[in-house]
Amino acid sequence: MKTLMLLPILGLLLWAAVQVTEKAQPPTETTAGWVKYAKNPVLGGDLGTCFDISVLKEGDVYRMWFSWRPKRSIALVESSDGIQWSKPIIVLGPNDKTDWENDLNRPVVIKNGDRYQMWYTGQARGKSWIGYATSKDGKAWERMSDKPVLSAEKPWEKVAVMCPHVIYDDQAKLYRMWYSGGEQYEPNAIGYATSEDGLKWARHDGNPIFKPDSKNVWEKDRVTACQVVRHGDWHVMFYIGFRDRDHAQIGIARSKDGITDWQRHRANPIIRPGKDQWDHDAVYKPYAIFDGKQWLLWYNGRKGGVEQIGLALHQGEDLGF
């Protein structure tokens, strides 16, 4: 009889021990089928801080435009596998003829017909703006305006607009931009704008269209630096969320129109810092491409004051929403 009475008690104690053990275990570095490349980082090291990138796949070649902090410039590297990259060449650097391009970074590059188009972030005097340039080969760029094409004007944008991501809608004949606005160190939310020519932009009346979710601890402070991909009937957004200003992780969300009713992935954050690894403190600015068999997602990770570029992979097209 005493033995029978002890069994439920022992069961409860065992259940409590399992719960404590589970809570004590660190969260996995990836979820939802994503796996970090084992030999990360793929770009950085002697180059110094490399961050916020844009990638195009052209034929069998990946072309990455990245922010190169020591040079205050945007540089280009190329690769056949997305892992081993060529030596960087600077393609767009600071402009001493304007008062807003002391540092250049955070580009997005698209190819529309035979023309490359880049929207980039210019920084000076503790503020950020978005500029626009075009190129015939992705290497030699011509600025299309001495003035920014987007400046912080709305209250929520505070002193900075940055991190543009642009896609061209062939049916509507319209450029569509998702951008980050707010504080200079790290912006606070994501806005949306459209343009017929890439120069003159009209903001969405409902901006910001993507804001922090206070119910999710990992992104309760701010959300920023997104990439939006057309995927079937959906717009899929890869973005970063901050629990505080210094700690970021990567999540995904989707929306039918790319503006409203965003559904966050239930497994967010999908990419997380690696304890005592090169990306120990934060993972930033995702950029993903589906190559027909798998997703390749490049991101920058930070440990202390050093940022480098790493890669995560996802087999198959279904992202598991």
Side-chain angles (χ1 to χ4, degrees), residues 32-281:
W34 292 92
V35 178
K36 290 181 182 178
Y37 175 61
K39 296 182 180 179
N40 276 337
V42 298
L43 192 72
D46 294 341
L47 297 178
T49 290
C50 302
F51 66 111
D52 295 25
I53 67 162
S54 181
V55 182
L56 289 179
K57 188 178 185 186
E58 300 185 66
D60 294 328
V61 177
Y62 293 95
R63 308 184 80 191
M64 177 192 289
W65 291 263
F66 72 94
S67 307
W68 199 0
R69 183 158 289 148
K71 306 293 185 180
R72 298 185 295 134
S73 300
I74 294 165
L76 171 66
V77 289
E78 298 183 343
S79 171
S80 60
D81 59 8
I83 297 169
Q84 301 290 332
W85 295 91
S86 62
K87 290 184 178 180
I89 58 169
I90 293 174
V91 296
L92 200 64
N95 186 4
D96 59 10
K97 296 178 181 177
T98 62
D99 66 349
W100 59 278
E101 297 175 288
N102 292 356
D103 287 81
L104 297 191
N105 50 57
R106 299 170 172 88
V108 62
V109 176
I110 67 172
K111 192 176 184 185
N112 194 0
D114 59 358
R115 182 172 67 151
Y116 293 86
Q117 297 171 283
M118 177 196 292
W119 290 265
Y120 61 92
T121 304
Q123 297 184 313
R125 300 177 280 115
K127 299 180 180 181
S128 291
W129 298 261
I130 292 173
Y132 173 46
T134 64
S135 172
K136 293 180 180 179
D137 61 4
K139 296 179 180 179
W141 292 87
E142 179 185 358
R143 289 172 167 86
M144 302 307 292
S145 174
D146 290 334
K147 297 179 180 179
V149 297
L150 205 69
S151 303
E153 297 172 359
K154 302 296 183 180
W156 76 273
E157 294 168 345
K158 299 181 183 179
V159 298
V161 289
M162 63 174 82
C163 308
H165 182 79
V166 177
I167 61 176
Y168 184 69
D169 187 326
D170 282 309
Q171 288 187 329
K173 304 299 179 188
L174 207 61
Y175 294 96
R176 308 174 65 198
M177 179 191 288
W178 292 261
Y179 67 96
S180 301
E183 297 170 21
Q184 172 77 342
Y185 182 73
E186 294 292 355
N188 305 84
I190 295 168
Y192 175 75
T194 57
S195 171
E196 294 181 355
D197 60 5
L199 278 168
K200 297 177 182 177
W201 292 87
R203 288 170 169 82
H204 188 264
D205 291 337
N207 278 347
I209 56 117
F210 197 80
K211 297 183 285 189
D213 186 342
S214 60
K215 297 189 296 294
N216 296 330
V217 173
W218 75 276
E219 61 163 321
K220 65 183 176 63
D221 188 63
R222 61 195 73 197
V223 290
T224 180
C226 74
Q227 176 203 15
V228 176
V229 179
R230 292 297 304 270
H231 189 235
D233 294 332
W234 295 91
H235 294 72
V236 176
M237 176 189 285
F238 296 83
Y239 69 98
I240 52 177
F242 290 75
R243 75 167 188 261
D244 56 49
R245 204 175 69 158
D246 296 315
H247 296 91
Q249 300 181 79
I250 295 170
I252 51 177
R254 67 179 183 176
S255 161
K256 282 295 178 69
D257 62 6
I259 305 169
T260 59
D261 299 323
W262 289 96
Q263 302 174 8
R264 285 163 163 86
H265 199 291
R266 62 184 180 275
N268 278 347
I270 58 164
I271 312 292
R272 311 172 185 198
K275 183 173 175 57
D276 298 325
Q277 301 299 311
W278 68 280
D279 57 358
H280 174 83
D281 292 313

Side-chain angles (χ1 to χ4, degrees), residues 117 274 303 318:
Q117 297 171 283
K303 183 179 183 182
D318 185 0

